[in-house]
Every structure is written in structure tokens, then in C-alpha cells.
Amino acid sequence: MGADDAQACLNDDGLVVALVNMLAAGPKQAAREVVAVRSESAPPVTASASGMPQSWDHQLVDPAAMPAITQDLLSDRHLVLMVPPWGLPPGSKRRRVLIRDGAPVEPEPPGWEEQIPLAVSVPQSDVHLFVLLPVVAVRTERYRAFRAGLMAKWSITDVVVLQGAIPGVAARFECVLLGLRPEAFADGSTRFFEPGHPNDTDPSSVIADFARLQRMAGGYTDFGYVLRGGFEAGDILTHGLRDPKLQATRTDLANFGRTVALKDLFEIRRIRFRDQDFCRADTPGAARIIWSRDITESPLQSDRDRPQWATVDPGQLLEPGDFLTPGFTPRSNGKGFTVVAHSPCDGPAVAGPTMVVLRPRESVAPEIIDFSLRYLRSPAARRVYLKMNPEIRLGRGFDEMVVPVADEEILAALQNLRDAQSNFLEWADEAGAVIDSIFDYPSVEKARPRIIEAGRSVRSRSREARNLDDPDFAVRRAFPYPVAHRWRVMEAALSGAATPQEGYTSILDTTESLLALLAQLTLVLAQASNIEVKAKAAIQRKFKAGSGPGMGDWAAVLQETTSKHFAQSQGALAEIRGMFRLPGVEAARVRLNARRNDEAHNRRVEAVEVRDEIQTALGDLRTLAHAARFLVDMPLLHVTGTSWDSYAREAIITFREMVGDHWVVKSQTTSVASNEIERDSLYVVDPEGHWHLLRPYLVVRDCPLCRTISTFHVDTVTKGGQVRMKSLENGHTLIEDREYETLVQVGMC
């Protein structure tokens, strides 16, 4: 049966029938007969559903006879759909199931839906048995023994979870179509399929997706995937537990730094009470019981809303620093887990049996705990958890829940955001105070100048913040000096202070300075990470030939960062690698490089076209600058003095931060736990706070031509060992005798 036939069947008979017909047809699309075996007495709600197509052979049988009749049908039919009754056989009594550590201590007697499938013997022929069951049969610990029994006899080929598939039953109700096949004829793969609520999906797309999944030997579709390999006896068969897309989401969390299980960060406690533990409020040692309703946003109103008390072991009492979350979580409230500080009451308290206690482990830093709690409170955390563990009760899966642990760079960025938020709120309060004080002065004559003066600093901050939204201003103010200075010169040239051709050339000069700086940083950071930069060989050959690198060579260094041997890059090097993987960045770089080549080979832009070309080239340069905005967090520091304290084991460093579009900056001091910091050398500090020496790739010198401090990179090397250095800011050169041996050591000469 093809997707079109299945669609017609869907319209007539419903989703279960349509999917079973497709399964009966198989990959060869040749229709085969389906036998539906249902109960004629004590039918489940599934059996009362009309719509089983007349084309199917129906066997309405007594539940006790269902295993034998199904077995007989399997011996001469390709496919049988069995719909056993759900619930306990007559004479059986339900009892409360005690759960301990996520597993039943006194399991409930097996229902029809367990007894009947397990009683069917496995034929010695290639047949397919499908069983329609409540979804709890594949998701919960309660049915572990049932699943283990099935897996011991059959190979599970399909796990199809459907909502709203049974007429007359609530649309959110879920059932599972479980496919079973003799082990000798199975290929070791299981197809999981879960299209979700019918109101959220187009039925025709569900049918088409299911048809595509049946043809696949591996991989995944929109609603399903093919899993290869077996299961451990009794394994839970939750769709999300092995979903490759969900696994990719969990893996992606490691990009914050790493991931761990929740139990590695918190001691997770669940308190159980005996009847004799409950007491009056005035009982000695009484502690108030904290229930879910005490911390949820919409408390339940009932006679039990009055406080309740219990006497428990002191070790079970809540402690300062504990966090609480309800032990049951709504399936679809669009929010994260409700996690609150330990106690909404004064005095001794104990978590109720509907609560889970998260007690931070002493070995875990507070900022890590704070980050993990932010994740738990996010909708993403609850979505992932419910996909992996559809039960709304927070069982053992909650302890094993994967949570991200942020690295130093992310934690520093979050702290910066918190500091900025605090500053913004403080400035907003200042502005509000000025506004509110307008009529607090004894006279308007005295109020006027004071209000204007009081608002001046607030207006100045606002103006500065708005300027930072201008990308050109942000480069001039916050980028490293070599690029920021070039940018300022370029803007002056484009403003009419020079000819259009000079403005166009200035754009290309600025591009080369940006790429050259990024390339030098790449060479230094790759060396620190023991990553070989193969593009160095071409630069080395140019030095030996008496020439020097150009924009194409710097581009080759940067382009290499996208290669496989840079895949494990971390920190600042990963930022550079990621820059050239952003959409449009590499294309912009290629176009600018081509323009530079054209200019160098006398293929200059015609005067009548130069203004249009300026706008195009400037747009590409801004694309590069925007992608390189991580440079704001990688300051260039020119060390002007060092002093080592042998007792404190730290060095006091005096430096100038080479940031912004002017070389005159104030001196600053800091301490570093290293005595290897060189005076009069240039360093870059990565986001993790590590200092990287830029010599011999980049050095700071007084330019002999313009008499200003400039940053220089190697331009050419003579056979006599003299090194000509070229300024990133203006292209001026100088001869440097001190760096030749160092260039040899780093493999540049």
C-alpha cells in the first residue's frame, strides 16, 4: 500500500488502520491480509471503537482464548493485529503499588494486556504480530517484567505511539502499536514513530513520514527514526530515550563547557512518611510539611491547605541552601521546572512526599549550581526531560538528567551581563529619581538648573550606549588598536577628506589589517594548542625567496581553521574558527581578496563605478568586522613593566591596553601568577584569562616615520638575518634585528 492509498484509508478508517495497512503491505507495497483479533467479552475501549475496515478478517473471541486463536492465525497469515482487553481479569483486585527507587516493590497483578501477548508462542515462520496497548506498557517501570518477557521471545520491530487514535476517547490519550517478529527473521532494527497530537500535525504528512520511515534502513524522519541493535531485558521503550535528534540536543549542551548528571551536582532526596509521623503543630520537634501547593504559582484550594506537621529524623529536615521542586511536572505548561529556595516558612520544615529536595554538593562551586538551576527553570530542560521520561513523576530519570556545566568563559560572560544589568537598572533608577524630584524643590527657579545638571550624566550614558549600536562606532571604540585606528582613517577618507579612489583603497587596507591581525592571533593560539598550521609553509617559502606575505596568505591561515585538525579548538581559537563558518563571511572575504588582487595588478575600479563599488566593499568589510566582534573580549596588552613577588608567587604587571582608535592610553596594573611575562612585549588575553605572547608574530615599536607607537608584523627576511617589520596601522616599516632567531624557533624562517 502506497502513501496515497494510506491517505484514503486514513480518511475512511482512522490512523491506526491506515498505519497497520501500510505495515501489512511491507516494503514491496503488495497488500496482504490483516486479521484483527478482539475480545467479545469485557472489551476495552479500543475494542468498542468502530472503524475496523470490512476488508479485514475479524475474530471476536473470549480473552482466555485469544492467545491460542492468535497463534493459529499466525501460522497461516502474514500479519495479525491483536487488541487485547486492558485491565485486570475478573476476580483480580487492584492494590496500591509501592515504588522504591523507581521500581515496584509489590507489583500489581498482571492485566489482560500483559497476560495475553505473553501467552502467544512464537511461530517458526516469518510473521508479524502487532499488539495495540496502553502507552504505559512501554514507558513505565510497572511493565518492566512484561517487556522483558516479550523481548525474551520476540524481536521488537515497531514502537508506534499515537494520540487521539481511538474514537470516543480523550484526544490526549496515548496508545502504542507494538510490532513483534520472530528473532530468526528480524534484521535487528526497531522503528520508533511518534507523530504527536493530531491537532498539531497534518495527517497526510504523518502518513508520508511513516511511509518514508518504513523504507529506511537507518537514520530519522520528522516523526520517527530507525534504531539498530537490541535492548536490555525489560528496557523502557520511550521514543525520546534513543531519539538521535534529542541525543544531539543533549550533546549540544556540552558546548556550554561540559555536561553531568543532575545527581553529580545535587544530593537528591525524597522523604517518605509513616502514618505515625504526622502530628500537631505544638508537638515537640514538629516540623511543617512543605507540599507542592506551597510553592506552585497557582496553589490548590482545599481543606488540606491548612499547614500540616510531622516529627522526622533531624537529618531529614530542610537546611539553608536546599532547593525544592514538585515531584510531578505538568506535561505542557510551556515553562520549566518550578525550583525554589528551600522553605516558604519560618522554623523547622520537611519536604512532603510530593516534593524533591535538591541539596547542592559541597564540592560544587555556587556559580555552577546557579547555572544548573537556571537550566532547570528553562522550558528547554522540561521539554528534554519529558521526551526522555514521559512520566510526569520525577523518578530515577530525574537524578540522571543531563545538565550543562558552564566553563569559565560562559560564567564570565554571564557575570558581565549581570553587572551590565545592574548598571542599567541603577541608571534607570537615577533617571527616575530626577523625574520624580521635579516638584520637590522650593522654587522653579532653583529646580531648573539642578534638574538639567542632574540629568546630564544620565543623558551622557544614554548617548554613549546608543553610539555602541552603530557598528562603525563599536569598531573604533572597542576593537584592538590596529583595526580601530585603520577604521578611523578609513572613515575620514570616505567622508570626503580624500578622493573616492583613496577611500576605496582605504577599505582594502583596513580589510588587510583585520585579516592580518586575526592571522597572527591564529598562529599564536594554534601554537599554544599544539595545532600545526600548514599555511605557514607558504609564508616560510616567501621569506626564503626574499618576499613577504600578503592578504592572500593571511586568508589562507584563517581558512585553514575550518579544517578537521582545528575541530577540537577551544576558547579564542574556536571563536576564530567559528567566524569563517558563519553564513556570508567567507564569501565576503573572497570578494575583498579579489578586489585587493585587482588593485595590486593595475585592474583598478573605473572612476564612474568607484562610488558604487565603495558601498559594496564596505558592506563586505562590515560583515567581516561583525563576525570578528569577539575581538572585543581579546584585549591586546603592551607590557611596560613587571615585578615578581617570590613569596606571593605572582607578578605585578604594568601595561597599556591597545584598544580603540588612538595609541595614547592610560597605564594599568594587574597581578599574574607567572614570572614569564616579558617587559616591552605584546600579549593577547583570551576569554579564559590566559596570557599569550604575540612575539615574534606581532611586536610593539615606536614607528621611526610617524613617531607613534605601532604594532608590527613580519614583512620580509633577508639572508643576513635582518627582519623588516610592517605596521598594521599605516604600512610603515622598520628593520628589526632581534627577532630572526625567534622566527626560526616558531617555524616561520
Side-chain angles (χ1 to χ4, degrees):
M1 172 181 287
D4 293 339
D5 296 329
Q7 178 62 47
C9 177
L10 173 66
N11 297 333
D12 296 336
D13 302 315
L15 188 57
V16 172
V17 173
L19 298 186
V20 170
N21 272 338
M22 293 185 70
L23 290 166
K28 297 181 179 179
Q29 302 298 306
R32 303 191 188 183
E33 189 174 7
V34 177
V35 181
V37 183
R38 297 187 299 178
S39 171
E40 64 179 4
S41 63
V45 68
T46 53
S48 66
S50 60
M52 291 295 184
Q54 294 302 314
S55 60
W56 288 7
D57 184 7
H58 293 74
Q59 298 284 340
L60 301 180
V61 302
D62 183 84
M66 189 175 285
I69 293 176
T70 300
Q71 198 166 315
D72 290 341
L73 290 169
L74 283 171
S75 49
D76 62 356
R77 304 293 180 96
H78 166 70
L79 185 146
V80 174
L81 169 64
M82 183 169 66
V83 186
W86 301 350
L88 295 177
S92 299
K93 292 184 179 180
R94 292 188 178 276
R95 62 170 177 261
R96 184 180 179 185
V97 180
L98 299 179
I99 304 293
R100 182 170 300 152
D101 296 328
V105 178
E106 297 180 27
E108 185 178 355
W112 283 125
E113 72 276 13
E114 298 172 85
Q115 294 183 29
I116 292 174
L118 289 175
V120 178
S121 298
V122 182
Q124 299 301 311
S125 57
D126 186 8
V127 297
H128 229 140
L129 173 62
F130 283 87
V131 187
L132 192 65
L133 299 170
V135 76
V136 291
V138 297
R139 287 181 175 171
T140 63
E141 288 291 335
R142 153 79 175 78
Y143 285 83
R144 178 170 287 276
F146 164 67
R147 293 190 299 272
L150 280 184
M151 292 174 184
K153 300 170 63 176
W154 300 85
S155 178
I156 296 178
T157 60
D158 297 87
V159 182
V160 182
V161 176
L162 302 170
Q163 289 187 41
I166 304 176
V169 181
R172 286 289 175 188
F173 183 81
E174 294 177 297
C175 61
V176 60
L177 192 61
L178 200 62
L180 307 173
R181 196 172 185 182
E183 190 81 34
F185 300 96
D187 63 0
S189 65
T190 304
R191 285 167 174 79
F192 285 80
F193 190 75
E194 188 170 335
H197 193 279
N199 292 345
D200 301 330
T201 52
D202 175 31
S204 60
S205 66
V206 172
I207 289 293
D209 195 76
F210 189 73
R212 185 165 65 254
L213 183 68
Q214 295 307 307
R215 296 191 297 269
M216 296 171 58
Y220 56 87
T221 64
D222 291 340
F223 304 121
Y225 59 93
V226 181
L227 179 72
R228 303 201 65 84
F231 306 99
E232 295 293 329
D235 269 357
I236 286 176
L237 301 177
T238 299
H239 181 98
L241 198 59
R242 301 167 183 87
D243 185 351
K245 290 182 287 187
L246 194 60
Q247 294 292 350
T249 299
R250 298 175 71 195
T251 301
D252 186 55
L253 290 174
N255 288 318
F256 281 116
R258 58 189 177 94
T259 57
V260 298
L262 187 64
K263 65 182 182 181
D264 294 333
L265 303 181
F266 298 91
E267 180 186 345
I268 300 176
R269 297 181 162 211
R270 298 171 178 85
I271 309 300
R272 295 180 177 85
F273 292 90
R274 301 166 300 175
D275 291 341
Q276 58 266 37
D277 292 334
F278 294 95
C279 66
R280 295 165 52 91
D282 56 0
T283 302
R288 179 179 168 180
I289 301 174
I290 306 301
W291 299 91
S292 298
R293 62 177 176 270
D294 295 319
I295 68 170
T296 54
E297 295 180 2
S298 301
L300 301 175
Q301 299 298 321
S302 69
D303 293 340
R304 295 185 61 199
D305 285 343
R306 294 187 298 273
Q308 291 181 282
W309 306 82
T311 53
V312 295
D313 185 274
Q316 294 181 313
L317 294 176
L318 293 172
E319 297 180 359
D322 286 350
F323 295 90
L324 298 175
T325 186
F328 296 87
T329 181
R331 284 191 182 277
S332 56
N333 66 357
K335 300 178 181 178
F337 294 100
T338 302
V339 183
V340 299
H342 80 284
S343 178
C345 70
D346 297 326
V350 62
T354 61
M355 301 296 297
V356 176
V357 181
L358 303 178
R359 179 167 295 172
R361 297 192 181 277
E362 293 182 1
S363 59
V364 182
E367 56 269 23
I368 299 296
I369 294 296
D370 179 70
F371 187 82
S372 64
L373 291 175
R374 289 179 183 275
Y375 173 69
L376 289 178
R377 292 173 180 138
S378 72
R382 198 170 58 84
R383 278 198 307 270
V384 171
Y385 176 80
L386 288 177
K387 282 286 187 181
M388 305 287 291
N389 307 274
E391 289 188 273
I392 62 174
R393 180 180 180 275
L394 302 185
R396 282 190 300 180
F398 189 64
D399 302 31
E400 301 290 342
M401 181 179 179
V402 172
V403 294
V405 175
D407 57 24
E408 293 180 2
E409 183 178 2
I410 291 293
L411 292 175
L414 291 176
Q415 185 58 52
N416 290 337
L417 288 173
R418 283 191 287 268
D419 292 342
Q421 181 185 44
S422 176
N423 287 336
F424 292 150
L425 292 174
E426 182 180 339
W427 297 342
D429 289 343
E430 283 186 36
V434 172
I435 294 170
D436 293 340
S437 67
I438 290 177
F439 298 104
D440 291 346
Y441 294 96
S443 69
V444 175
E445 180 182 5
K446 293 181 179 180
R448 181 181 178 86
R450 294 182 181 179
I451 291 171
I452 293 173
E453 176 62 29
R456 183 167 288 123
S457 63
V458 175
R459 293 195 305 274
S460 176
R461 292 172 186 149
S462 175
R463 184 168 55 250
E464 189 77 5
R466 282 197 302 270
N467 284 335
L468 289 174
D469 289 332
D470 175 2
D472 293 340
F473 179 87
V475 173
R476 295 195 315 272
R477 177 59 63 89
F479 267 48
Y481 170 63
V483 177
H485 176 82
R486 276 284 194 187
W487 205 278
R488 178 166 68 91
V489 172
M490 177 190 72
E491 286 189 325
L494 294 174
S495 67
T499 65
Q501 182 62 46
E502 289 174 322
Y504 178 75
T505 302
S506 185
I507 293 174
L508 303 181
D509 290 342
T510 305
T511 300
E512 181 165 354
S513 288
L514 174 60
L515 295 179
L517 175 63
L518 288 168
Q520 313 306 318
L521 296 178
T522 299
L523 293 169
V524 169
L525 296 171
Q527 181 177 305
S529 301
N530 294 317
I531 297 176
E532 178 188 4
V533 181
K534 298 175 183 178
K536 287 170 64 172
I539 299 175
Q540 186 183 58
R541 287 193 295 270
K542 286 190 174 183
F543 286 153
K544 290 182 178 179
S547 62
M551 194 159 85
D553 297 290
W554 306 136
V557 170
L558 297 172
Q559 194 173 22
E560 189 177 334
T561 63
T562 62
S563 301
K564 287 184 179 180
H565 59 290
F566 274 83
Q568 302 304 316
S569 303
Q570 300 292 325
L573 194 57
E575 294 275 16
I576 297 175
R577 179 175 187 267
M579 170 183 174
F580 289 93
R581 299 171 72 90
L582 294 174
V585 173
E586 178 61 14
R589 198 276 308 162
V590 169
R591 288 191 294 268
L592 288 166
N593 194 73
R595 291 176 182 276
R596 188 63 156 183
N597 285 338
D598 287 344
E599 286 290 303
H601 293 87
N602 262 345
R603 296 188 293 268
R604 295 190 174 88
V605 175
E606 297 295 334
V608 294
E609 300 175 347
V610 69
R611 295 190 184 277
D612 291 338
E613 295 298 321
I614 282 175
Q615 294 306 313
T616 303
L618 186 58
D620 283 341
L621 176 56
R622 284 174 173 155
T623 296
L624 291 182
H626 182 73
R629 60 191 180 277
F630 57 83
L631 289 173
V632 172
D633 297 321
M634 296 172 58
L636 298 184
L637 306 184
H638 177 213
V639 175
T640 57
T642 63
S643 175
W644 175 252
D645 187 329
S646 297
Y647 288 100
R649 308 300 298 173
E650 66 177 15
I652 305 301
I653 307 298
T654 305
F655 65 92
R656 291 181 294 191
E657 184 176 355
M658 308 286 286
V659 65
D661 58 11
H662 202 280
W663 64 272
V664 178
V665 293
K666 68 178 182 180
S667 289
Q668 303 178 58
T669 60
T670 189
S671 59
V672 179
S674 171
N675 63 351
E676 297 182 352
I677 303 298
E678 298 180 357
R679 182 180 179 184
D680 201 29
S681 286
L682 189 64
Y683 286 80
V684 63
V685 181
D686 65 25
E688 290 80 23
H690 303 133
W691 289 51
H692 299 276
L693 177 64
L694 292 176
R695 185 176 68 85
Y697 301 100
L698 274 182
V699 298
V700 173
R701 297 288 185 264
D702 290 323
C703 178
L705 297 178
C706 60
R707 305 298 181 184
T708 61
I709 290 179
S710 300
T711 53
F712 292 85
H713 68 82
V714 183
D715 187 37
T716 59
V717 179
T718 68
K719 293 183 178 179
Q722 285 191 324
V723 180
R724 186 174 72 179
M725 311 289 285
K726 181 180 177 181
S727 168
L728 286 175
E729 290 81 10
N730 48 41
H732 295 168
T733 62
L734 58 78
I735 300 300
E736 175 69 64
D737 296 325
R738 291 178 285 174
E739 300 299 344
Y740 178 78
E741 292 299 328
T742 312
L743 288 169
V744 172
Q745 291 182 37
V746 299
M748 291 290 282
C749 289

